[in-house]
Amino acid sequence: MLTFPAPAKINLFLHVIGRRQDGYHLLQTVFRFLDFSDQLSFAVRPDGLIKLHTPISGVPEEQDLCVRAAKLLQKESGVNLGIDIHLKKIIPMGGGLGGGSSDAATTLLALNQMWGLNWDKQQLIALGLQLGADVPVFVFGKNAFAEGIGEKLAAVKLPSAWYLVLIPPVQVSTAEIFTSKELTRNTIPIKIPPFSIWQGHNDLQSVVCQKYPDVARYLEWLKQLKNTTIAAMSGSGACVFAEFTTEIAARTAFENIPAGMSGFVARGLDDHPMCQSEE
C-alpha cells in the first residue's frame, strides 16, 4: 500500500468577474498550497473493483470524490485494474480549503502512477475539471493564478509565509453562495503579471459573513491582529486565515485565540508535495 498527501489550499484573493451562459462563474484567484494535508493510501486490486474503506459520514460512496476520480480515470483509460482506497481526513469539509478536490487530484496522480498509465498533466487536468473546478490546480501542482472557472492556470512565485487558519463551526454551501442574489459579479479583471496579491479581495466574503455570523466573528478577530499581511476568507468559506512572515508570529497568534475557537498553523508551500520531485 502506498500513501500520498492531499494538501489544503487557500485563496489569497478571489474575484468574480463575470458569469457564463451555463451558469458557471468567471473567476480570478491565486491558489496557495498549505503544509496541512489529508492522507490517501492505495493498494492495486486485480479484479477491477474500486473500494473506499474509510467512508465519510453523510457522503454516499458513489459521490465521494476519491471514488469518482478513480472510476473516471479507470473508464477513460480502459485499465482493468481496481484500487483499495483508505482516506485519513484532516482538512475540514465545507471550509473552502479544497479538501475534496485535493483528494480527487491525489487519486488521479497516484493511480496514474500505480496503474502504469503515464498520462501527461494536461490529460489529468482535463479529467479533473470534470470532477470540480478546484481539482485542476492540485493536478497542476504549483501555486497558481487561475482564470476562467479555475482551469486556466499560470504558476506564480509567492513569498515565504505562515498562516493561521481558523475553522468556524459551520459548513458553507458553495452553490448557495455563488447563486446568492447579493453576490457581485463585476469586479474589474486584473492582468498577470504584474499584480499585487495584497490589493485583492474575496468577492464571496461579504455574502458569507452576512449569512454566517460565525464566519464574520472569526474574521473580525483575525483582522485585529498585528503583523499580518492578509486576513481573509478562503474560497467560499467557512475557513478564514491570516498570513504572517514568520512561524513564531503565526504560532503566537494561535496561542491567543479565544476559548471555543479552533484552527491550525501551517506553512505556505511552493509546490504540491507530489510534484516536488518533478523539479
Side-chain angles (χ1 to χ4, degrees):
M1 186 170 288
L2 296 178
T3 299
F4 301 89
K9 62 81 179 168
I10 52 175
N11 300 83
L12 297 182
F13 65 77
L14 197 162
H15 296 170
V16 182
I17 63 171
R19 195 176 193 176
R20 303 195 315 195
Q21 287 190 332
D22 62 7
Y24 277 100
H25 287 78
L26 298 172
L27 310 174
Q28 288 187 319
T29 188
V30 166
F31 290 104
R32 176 153 216 177
F33 301 129
L34 298 182
D35 187 18
F36 184 82
S37 301
D38 289 346
Q39 298 291 327
L40 281 152
S41 299
F42 302 96
V44 175
R45 299 174 62 117
D47 59 7
L49 293 178
I50 291 167
K51 179 64 180 171
L52 177 66
H53 294 270
T54 50
I56 297 171
S57 177
V59 181
E61 184 169 330
E62 66 274 10
Q63 291 181 19
D64 185 276
L65 276 165
C66 301
V67 173
R68 290 177 55 205
K71 287 185 174 179
L72 183 60
L73 183 60
Q74 184 187 56
K75 174 173 173 275
E76 294 298 323
S77 67
V79 70
N80 57 10
L81 297 170
I83 203 80
D84 286 314
I85 305 171
H86 296 262
L87 170 62
K88 183 180 180 182
K89 193 74 185 153
I90 303 294
I91 302 169
M93 296 174 63
L97 301 181
S101 296
S102 187
D103 295 342
T106 289
T107 301
L108 293 176
L109 291 165
L111 299 194
N112 184 49
Q113 173 185 320
M114 296 177 72
W115 284 344
L117 303 178
N118 297 312
W119 280 27
D120 65 32
K121 279 286 181 70
Q122 287 307 314
Q123 288 175 287
L124 293 174
I125 285 172
L127 214 57
L129 190 58
Q130 296 182 44
L131 297 163
D134 281 354
V135 179
V137 72
F138 290 103
V139 177
F140 182 66
K142 297 187 179 300
N143 295 323
F145 176 71
E147 297 186 277
I149 62 172
E151 85 289 5
K152 297 176 183 175
L153 301 163
V156 292
K157 292 288 186 187
L158 298 172
S160 174
W162 286 79
Y163 298 89
L164 168 56
V165 181
L166 297 183
I167 310 169
V170 293
Q171 288 189 22
V172 174
S173 163
T174 300
E176 175 197 5
I177 301 308
F178 271 110
T179 55
S180 170
K181 64 180 186 299
E182 290 89 8
L183 177 64
T184 58
R185 302 174 174 88
N186 58 357
T187 294
I188 297 171
I190 57 177
K191 295 193 183 321
I192 176 176
F195 64 85
S196 170
I197 291 163
W198 297 278
Q199 292 175 352
H201 59 273
N202 186 334
D203 280 323
L204 309 181
Q205 186 171 290
S206 62
V207 180
V208 174
C209 286
Q210 183 180 340
K211 293 179 181 290
Y212 298 88
D214 281 331
V215 176
R217 181 167 57 90
Y218 278 50
L219 185 57
E220 282 307 308
W221 188 83
L222 288 177
K223 285 182 175 179
Q224 55 83 35
L225 294 172
K226 294 178 171 57
N227 303 319
T228 61
T229 44
I230 308 171
M233 185 181 78
S234 180
S236 58
C239 289
V240 293
F241 67 90
E243 181 183 90
F244 299 85
T245 55
T246 66
E247 178 180 6
I248 192 167
R251 295 202 181 279
T252 299
F254 179 54
E255 289 168 4
N256 290 293
I257 63 173
M261 283 192 184
S262 65
F264 61 90
V265 170
R267 178 172 58 92
L269 301 176
D270 293 327
D271 307 287
H272 190 294
M274 288 181 70
C275 301
Q276 290 172 355
S277 60
E278 299 171 1
E279 295 298 315

